[in-house]
Amino acid sequence: MVELKNERLSILVSEKGAELQSIKDAGGKEYLWQADPKYWGRHSPILFPIVCSVNDETYRVDGKAYHLPRHGFARDAEFKLIAQGERKVTFALESSEETKKVYPYDFTLSVSYVLDNNKIGVIWHVLNTDKQEIHFQIGGHPAFNVPGMKDGEPQHGCIRLDNQEPMDALHSYLDGSHEMDEVPFVEADNGLLEFSNNTWRNDSIKVHKSQLHRAELLGRNGEPEVTVEFRTPVIAFWSPYGKEAPFVCIEPWYGIGDPRGFCGEFKDKPLMNHLQPGASFMSKYEIRIG
């Protein structure tokens, strides 16, 4: 476990999955979900090389079938610590014979965390080390404690969005698939998304087409406790249905699960990213506390 700390915040990151494990303020208040397996046993996994699911955990490259579990393998992989300073730490995962059994490309995935005042920058860098074009998706899955909610209480919280207009969303299913036909995103009232256990009855809320760039998890006083800023084409909101879980995920994604019935080539999936040999992809999202 690696710690970064300043006068405002301290964070912990694990080499397993390069996963953020803790965000505490100077007073010791924890903002990141602490992975109680009764609800969901993760904190903030990295989703790679797929986001959500491929149908029947199977996808095809040049007609050959490969198998990946939901959200891919990076979240369970052992990353290497390659750089650490007072305010930044970087981990890397390289392709191997094991990864190529389920994902037939050479790559290096680097994940960096930068601590700056009350902000945490999360930086993804994918490098194509193969001799052919590679295809991938990537996303974040940070889970935050619902402000003021105690274990065992009915879930209730509010997220303020930076778009007050009605937005299109993807219709989701509990198996991780979705329909590309848009459905009205009617749950937000003038930019305020109030959520409860019933909000997650159809899995997550997925807003696509880059309609959002900021989401603020509000405290009971109506002020933001956690703000997530992003430039991803998709942002998802999720909490496990039926559990009254005391956390909510705010998830920036470069990708989406398979549409229902999709059985085409991996490269032709919706919202797929492509890299030529030697090329790289880099993106960042930011978590702000207070």
Side-chain angles (χ1 to χ4, degrees):
M1 200 80 72
V2 175
E3 181 180 33
L4 296 180
K5 188 174 184 179
N6 63 19
E7 293 180 354
R8 298 288 300 273
L9 297 177
S10 63
I11 68 171
L12 292 174
V13 187
S14 171
E15 291 188 20
K16 182 178 180 181
E19 185 178 3
L20 189 61
Q21 304 274 306
S22 174
I23 305 173
K24 289 183 179 180
D25 65 17
K29 180 178 178 178
E30 179 64 72
Y31 292 85
L32 198 67
W33 169 244
Q34 289 302 289
D36 183 345
K38 181 172 76 171
Y39 298 102
W40 186 60
R42 298 183 187 267
H43 306 267
S44 181
I46 307 294
L47 316 183
F48 178 89
I50 58 170
V51 169
C52 283
S53 300
V54 290
N55 290 327
D56 298 322
E57 297 191 346
T58 302
Y59 70 99
R60 292 159 185 83
V61 175
D62 297 330
K64 183 177 178 179
Y66 295 86
H67 306 284
L68 276 175
R70 187 179 178 94
H71 293 319
F73 56 75
R75 61 183 183 168
D76 294 316
E78 290 293 331
F79 283 65
K80 292 181 181 179
L81 175 63
I82 61 172
Q84 181 180 0
E86 290 186 0
R87 58 185 296 271
K88 181 179 180 180
V89 62
T90 301
F91 300 86
L93 174 67
E94 295 184 347
S95 54
S96 65
E97 290 305 313
E98 287 303 307
T99 66
K100 293 186 78 170
K101 292 177 182 177
V102 295
Y103 179 66
Y105 301 113
D106 286 317
F107 68 90
T108 299
L109 168 62
S110 300
V111 181
S112 297
Y113 296 90
V114 180
L115 187 59
D116 180 17
N117 196 15
N118 64 332
K119 297 178 291 186
I120 303 128
V122 184
I123 303 168
W124 303 317
H125 183 203
V126 182
L127 174 64
N128 180 357
T129 58
D130 211 314
K131 296 179 180 179
Q132 61 181 319
E133 184 179 42
I134 71 171
H135 317 283
F136 70 94
Q137 298 177 328
I138 192 167
H141 203 313
F144 303 102
N145 296 322
V146 176
M149 182 178 171
K150 295 181 174 58
D151 193 27
E153 291 182 345
Q155 188 191 68
H156 181 264
C158 187
I159 298 171
R160 183 163 60 207
L161 309 176
D162 67 333
N163 187 345
Q164 297 187 12
E165 300 299 322
M167 290 168 283
D168 297 329
L170 296 172
H171 187 77
S172 300
Y173 298 94
L174 292 175
D175 64 2
S177 64
H178 66 275
E179 298 285 2
M180 291 303 291
D181 293 336
E182 294 149 6
V183 296
F185 181 60
V186 295
E187 289 87 350
D189 182 11
N190 293 319
L192 293 178
L193 172 62
E194 293 194 42
F195 61 88
S196 63
N197 174 69
N198 197 49
T199 303
W200 321 114
R201 62 191 180 277
N202 292 319
D203 189 51
S204 58
I205 296 171
K206 303 182 182 81
V207 180
H208 62 150
K209 297 182 179 179
S210 300
Q211 296 172 95
L212 292 174
H213 301 296
R214 185 177 66 251
E216 299 172 334
L217 180 59
L218 303 183
R220 296 298 171 92
N221 61 359
E223 295 299 317
E225 288 205 2
V226 177
T227 300
V228 182
E229 294 191 350
F230 44 88
R231 288 293 182 269
T232 53
V234 178
I235 185 71
F237 304 96
W238 175 79
S239 193
Y241 178 60
K243 294 189 177 183
E244 303 287 2
F247 72 89
V248 64
C249 295
I250 302 174
E251 309 176 40
W253 291 352
Y254 283 92
I256 198 71
D258 277 357
R260 286 217 147 179
F262 179 82
C263 59
E265 284 282 311
F266 187 60
K267 64 182 178 62
D268 297 325
K269 278 170 52 71
L271 292 178
M272 182 60 72
N273 306 284
H274 315 279
L275 282 178
Q276 292 295 325
S280 65
F281 163 98
M282 183 175 287
S283 186
K284 172 185 177 181
Y285 76 92
E286 188 173 84
I287 300 168
R288 185 168 70 247
I289 303 300

